């Protein structure tokens, strides 16, 4: 395993509530990513970070925010969850040297009722 | 039209068969090509990582990239039931943002 821990692994919540997902890495990699995976869409990038306090938007960033105050932690927040955000969320990490590939955690299954 | 197209399957083959998985893409800027394997309720696991056109072999797995045709393939020789998983292709234009195909579900029957 690539030293990536996602928490929680499963969560059920109600529409309109705030939700925060955590990704923790032990590899000291500079780059971290949040994806969502939905049937028929594959994996789509939500936000990514290229260093502490440095983040940028991905393909499907609306309704999501991120924060990275330490190298090892990358948080994804749904400020007011909607049913369309029901998905499986994956965190990935990579070291930017030499275009290294991304390695993934085992995901968080989020259901919004 | 999606930037990366991948037949979702499902694909079912007998044990020992040669499996061919494919993706096509439209963005000629892609230079790095990856194949990931994903078991049920697990994260994607990197299988193959190639740069530009050509072939790369790793055990029973061979990745091919044809940039002129914008087509990549993954071949699995002597397929095993443990190869049953979803296979995802992914591409990168050096910006660090991967674009994924939707994945092909493979089942290898004993």
């Amino acid at each position: 395993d690539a030293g990536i821990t996602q928490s929680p692994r499963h969560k059920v919540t109600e529409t309109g509530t705030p939700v925060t997902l955590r990704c923790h890495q032990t590899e000291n990699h500079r780059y971290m990513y949040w994806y969502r995976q939905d049937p028929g869409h594959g994996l789509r990038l939500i936000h990514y970070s290229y260093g502490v306090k440095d983040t940028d938007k991905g393909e499907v960033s609306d309704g999501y925010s991120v924060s990275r105050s330490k190298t090892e932690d990358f948080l994804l927040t749904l400020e007011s969850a909607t049913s369309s955000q029901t998905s499986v969320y994956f965190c990935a990490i990579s070291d930017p040297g030499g275009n290294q590939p991304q390695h993934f955690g085992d995901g968080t299954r989020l259901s919004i009722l | 039209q999606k930037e990366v197209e991948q037949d979702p399957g499902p694909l079912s083959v007998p044990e020992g068969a040669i499996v061919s998985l494919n993706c096509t893409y439209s963005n000629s800027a892609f230079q790095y090509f990856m194949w990931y394997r994903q078991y049920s309720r697990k994260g994607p696991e990197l299988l193959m990582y190639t740069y530009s056109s050509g072939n790369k072999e790793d055990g029973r797995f061979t990745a091919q990239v044809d940039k002129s045709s914008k087509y990549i393939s993954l071949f699995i020789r002597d397929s095993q039931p443990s190869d049953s998983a979803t296979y995802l292709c992914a591409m990168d234009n050096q910006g660090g943002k991967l674009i994924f195909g939707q994945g092909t579900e493979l089942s290898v029957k004993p």
Side-chain angles (χ1 to χ4, degrees):
Chain A
D1 288 348
I4 305 168
T5 304
Q6 291 187 234
S7 59
R9 293 296 314 279
H10 304 270
K11 187 173 182 66
V12 180
T13 191
E14 294 184 347
T15 299
T17 60
V19 177
T20 296
L21 308 182
R22 181 186 184 230
C23 178
H24 178 80
Q25 60 142 331
T26 59
E27 305 297 318
N28 201 35
H29 282 358
R30 181 177 161 196
Y31 280 60
M32 298 184 76
Y33 309 82
W34 277 107
Y35 291 87
R36 59 180 290 175
Q37 186 174 35
D38 304 288
H41 291 279
L43 282 147
R44 292 179 292 173
L45 182 65
I46 304 171
H47 282 281
Y48 66 102
S49 169
Y50 42 94
V52 173
K53 299 192 188 301
D54 291 323
T55 64
D56 206 348
K57 296 178 180 179
E59 176 188 359
V60 289
S61 59
D62 287 349
Y64 302 95
S65 62
V66 290
S67 65
R68 189 160 177 211
S69 59
K70 298 185 290 185
T71 299
E72 59 266 35
D73 288 328
F74 192 31
L75 304 180
L76 177 70
T77 297
L78 291 66
E79 301 289 351
S80 178
T82 67
S83 58
S84 64
Q85 293 175 310
T86 292
S87 187
V88 183
Y89 291 85
F90 288 98
C91 173
I93 65 173
S94 72
D95 192 329
N99 285 96
Q100 296 302 306
Q102 295 177 24
H103 297 275
F104 287 80
D106 279 338
T108 294
R109 290 185 171 271
L110 178 62
S111 295
I112 300 164
L113 307 177
Chain B
Q1 184 185 3
K2 295 180 180 178
E3 276 191 286
V4 179
E5 298 279 357
Q6 183 177 9
D7 187 337
L11 179 63
S12 182
V13 301
E15 183 175 355
I18 296 174
V19 176
S20 173
L21 303 167
N22 311 293
C23 289
T24 59
Y25 63 95
S26 57
N27 188 346
S28 58
F30 289 139
Q31 296 201 41
Y32 296 86
F33 303 90
M34 286 138 272
W35 286 96
Y36 286 85
R37 178 176 62 195
Q38 186 176 22
Y39 292 114
S40 180
R41 297 185 177 270
K42 300 287 284 184
E45 168 195 5
L46 182 68
L47 268 183
M48 302 290 281
Y49 180 64
T50 55
Y51 170 72
S52 198
S53 287
N55 292 1
K56 183 175 182 179
E57 188 174 320
D58 184 1
R60 296 184 295 111
F61 298 90
T62 298
Q64 282 187 354
V65 175
D66 182 348
K67 291 191 73 179
S68 62
S69 301
K70 297 188 180 67
Y71 189 88
I72 70 170
S73 301
L74 178 70
F75 297 96
I76 307 174
R77 291 183 299 279
D78 187 25
S79 56
Q80 302 296 308
S82 59
D83 295 327
S84 297
T86 296
Y87 289 79
L88 301 155
C89 64
M91 305 177 190
D92 181 358
N93 63 357
Q94 287 192 291
K97 300 179 185 180
L98 294 184
I99 306 297
F100 283 84
Q102 65 172 322
T104 299
E105 183 182 348
L106 172 66
S107 177
V108 181
K109 303 295 187 184

